[in-house]
Amino acid sequence: MTKVVLGFDLEPLIVQIDKILPSRKTPMGVATSKKFTQIRSSIAEIGLIEPLSVAAGDPKTGQHILLDGHIRLLALQ
């Protein structure tokens, strides 16, 4: 049997929102969509349940690249 190597850290990393760079452009109209409104309301009521997925970017600036959670990031901003 081979050992499975994880592709992520088990411990959450706290990163300032302004230090997260999206890896893709947000489509037009997302900020007015029903899904965005639901996510924003959920974050306001309960908090962020599913954390954003980021990869290390520039260690000098502390920037990180957003891999998953683009709409959540937009709602947090």
Side-chain angles (χ1 to χ4, degrees):
M1 245 180 158
T2 60
K3 185 177 178 181
V4 175
V5 179
L6 296 177
F8 56 90
D9 291 328
L10 292 175
E11 291 297 318
L13 177 67
I14 297 174
V15 179
Q16 294 177 11
I17 292 175
D18 63 340
K19 296 289 185 183
I20 301 174
L21 300 172
S23 59
R24 65 176 191 251
K25 187 176 178 181
T26 305
M28 297 290 284
V30 168
T32 57
S33 69
K34 184 176 180 180
K35 181 177 181 179
F36 177 79
T37 304
Q38 290 172 335
I39 291 171
R40 195 170 187 182
S41 296
S42 174
I43 291 172
E45 297 255 341
I46 303 168
L48 188 63
I49 295 173
E50 185 178 350
L52 306 174
S53 296
V54 298
D58 186 352
K60 291 181 182 178
T61 63
Q63 294 286 345
H64 286 73
I65 309 294
L66 182 62
L67 303 174
D68 184 52
H70 288 79
I71 296 176
R72 284 174 276 153
L73 176 63
L74 187 61
L76 288 167
Q77 292 172 328

